[in-house]
Amino acid sequence: MKNVSRTIIARASRMIRKGKLVIFPTETVYGIGASVFHTRAVQKIFRFKGRPSDNPLIVHIAHAKDVHLVARNIPHDAEVLMKKLWPGPLTIVLKKTARVPRAVTAGLDTVAVRMPAHPVARMFIKKAGVPIAAPSANVSGRPSATEAWHAKDDFKNRALFILDAGPARYGVESTVVDVTGRRPVLLRQGAIPREVIERVLGKKVAVARYTSGKARSPGMKYRHYAPRVPLIVAAYPHKIGERLARRGFRVGMIRRTGSLAEYASILFSSMRHLEKSGVDYIVVQSVSAKGLGATIMDRMMRASSGGVFRDIIKK
Ligand code: TXA
Ligand code: MG
C-alpha cells in the first residue's frame, strides 16, 4: 500500500468540512465523498457522476458506535454482522435517523452504512469528524475505480482532491445486506461472499433479483461497470478471441490465472487498461458462481450485454 501522509489526510478532512468532495481509497474501490450533513456537497456527487437521483449513497463511518448518528432500530442480525465483519467490505441497510438528508438516501427511509477497514479511509473519516457519504469514484455506468488514475480519468475536468494509496485490495465493491425486513437479503453481492454472511448469521440469506421495475436496491436496475468497448463473457475466451481476430478485430483478453480474489482485484483495472489500449473487444473468462465467483460473475454480466459464450469450444 502506498503511504499517504497525515498532513495530506488532515487537509482532505478540512476540505470535507468546507463542503468539498474528496476521492479516497477503501479496501474495495475508491470512493468520492462528501460530508453526510452537507446537502449541497452531496448533490454535487450526483452531478459529477451523472448518477440518477433515485440511487442512494453509502454512508461511511470510522467507529462502529457512530452507526447511531445515522441509523436507528438496529436489529440483532445487524449487530452480529457489525461485530464480526466490521471494519470491512460489508454495507448494512438500516432505518435512517431524521438527521440524514434525503439527498443521501434518495428519499428512502433507510440508510446504507459501512465501516471501511482501509487505514487511510479510517483516518480520513475520523479526522473529518462527520460520516462520509460516498459512492464509487467513477462516472455512473463505468467500471468502479480501483486505482486513483481511474478516478482521474473519469473526472478529468473536475478539480478534485485525491488521496492516492495505490490499488485497492479487493477490487470489487462491498457486499450490501438489507436487515430491515423479516429476513436479511443481499442487495448486492460483493467482496464478502454470501456464504460468509450466512455462516456469521447462522441462516440462509436470499439474493435480491434484478428486476427492471421496482428494485429493492435502486442501484440494481442500472447498467453498470461497463468499459467503452463491448465486453464478451466466455467460458473459453481464447476461442472467441481467435474468431474475432480472424475477422480483423483487435481483441483484449482477461483470463483467470490465480485465485478468485486475485481475479476480482484485477478485473476493473484490466478493463480500463484494455479500453485505453484501443482494442475493439474485450473477452473475459467466466468463473463458476460460487463464493467470490458469484460476485465476479455479477460484475461481468452487468458489464457485458449479457450471456456467457460456452458452445464455441465445439467448433
Ligand atoms: O465498496 C463500496 O461499497 C464502495 C466504497 C466506496 O465504499 N461504494 C460503492 O457505492 O460501491 P455505490 O454508490 O457505487 O454503490 C452503492 C450501492 C448501490 O447499489 C445503491 O443502490 C445501494 O448501495 N444502496 C445505497 N443505499 C441504499 C439503501 N438505503 N437501500 C438500498 N440500497 C442502497
Ligand atoms: Mg458504484
Side-chain angles (χ1 to χ4, degrees):
M1 191 174 77
K2 212 148 96 185
N3 201 42
V4 183
S5 79
R6 282 167 177 277
T7 328
I8 301 276
I9 296 175
R11 213 154 95 208
S13 317
R14 285 198 297 278
M15 312 265 292
I16 285 292
R17 287 195 297 271
K18 284 196 289 192
K20 300 256 192 283
L21 306 188
V22 170
I23 289 169
F24 65 100
T26 82
E27 69 275 26
T28 56
V29 300
Y30 277 72
I32 177 165
S35 161
V36 151
F37 303 124
H38 208 298
T39 300
R40 278 217 307 283
V42 169
Q43 286 165 339
K44 205 150 66 182
I45 293 180
F46 282 85
R47 223 167 45 239
F48 281 20
K49 275 187 64 105
R51 185 180 179 97
S53 60
D54 67 351
N55 194 3
L57 307 181
I58 294 175
V59 174
H60 298 71
I61 56 177
H63 305 282
K65 66 172 168 41
D66 290 347
V67 70
H68 303 291
L69 295 174
V70 293
R72 63 192 170 84
N73 297 356
I74 293 164
H76 180 68
D77 281 348
E79 271 166 18
V80 173
L81 290 170
M82 292 187 305
K83 191 153 174 249
K84 293 271 159 78
L85 297 173
W86 275 5
L90 176 72
T91 297
I92 308 177
V93 173
L94 298 159
K95 288 272 171 225
K96 83 177 206 49
T97 60
R99 291 187 67 191
V100 182
R102 293 173 57 87
V104 173
T105 61
L108 297 177
D109 63 352
T110 55
V111 61
V113 192
R114 149 157 148 78
M115 177 179 169
H118 197 291
V120 174
R122 293 187 65 181
M123 191 185 285
F124 163 60
I125 302 163
K126 201 156 87 187
K127 282 217 147 88
V130 283
I132 303 287
S136 49
N138 51 277
V139 160
S140 212
R142 299 264 302 138
S144 296
T146 61
E147 294 183 39
W149 71 264
H150 302 166
K152 275 182 210 155
D153 251 23
D154 275 17
F155 299 111
K156 249 181 216 93
N157 40 15
R158 314 275 194 189
L160 285 162
F161 198 88
I162 304 184
L163 296 171
D164 182 357
R169 174 170 152 210
Y170 290 96
V172 287
E173 306 78 1
S174 63
T175 302
V176 180
V177 57
D178 183 346
V179 292
T180 61
R182 246 174 7 99
R183 291 152 175 275
V185 179
L186 276 202
L187 298 184
R188 178 175 71 185
Q189 310 204 64
I192 300 182
R194 166 165 70 153
E195 292 85 341
V196 173
I197 309 278
E198 291 180 336
R199 203 179 322 129
V200 166
L201 289 178
K203 59 182 153 194
K204 290 275 172 211
V205 174
V207 179
R209 293 250 157 259
Y210 308 132
T211 49
S212 48
K214 199 176 160 64
R216 181 133 175 210
S217 183
M220 297 195 321
K221 63 183 191 219
Y222 298 108
R223 185 168 150 84
H224 264 129
Y225 318 115
R228 292 194 183 92
V229 293
L231 182 132
I232 298 169
V233 185
Y236 307 101
H238 52 285
K239 292 283 172 186
I240 297 265
E242 277 164 21
R243 254 199 183 182
L244 289 165
R246 272 203 300 276
R247 290 196 217 156
F249 293 115
R250 282 164 304 174
V251 184
M253 302 261 234
I254 307 177
R255 282 194 317 220
R256 181 181 166 190
T257 51
S259 66
L260 281 175
E262 282 167 305
Y263 196 36
S265 75
I266 57 118
L267 195 60
F268 288 140
S269 133
S270 304
M271 288 181 196
R272 283 179 181 266
H273 273 293
L274 287 173
E275 69 175 11
K276 250 192 184 334
S277 75
V279 297
D280 303 304
Y281 285 94
I282 297 174
V283 184
V284 55
Q285 184 172 24
S286 60
V287 293
S288 75
K290 271 203 240 77
L292 196 53
T295 302
I296 294 171
M297 284 309 288
D298 170 83
R299 301 305 188 268
M300 283 181 186
M301 296 314 293
R302 293 210 272 156
S304 76
S305 356
V308 181
F309 285 76
R310 294 183 189 285
D311 57 330
I312 200 85
I313 193 77
K314 293 185 206 128
K315 301 259 152 103

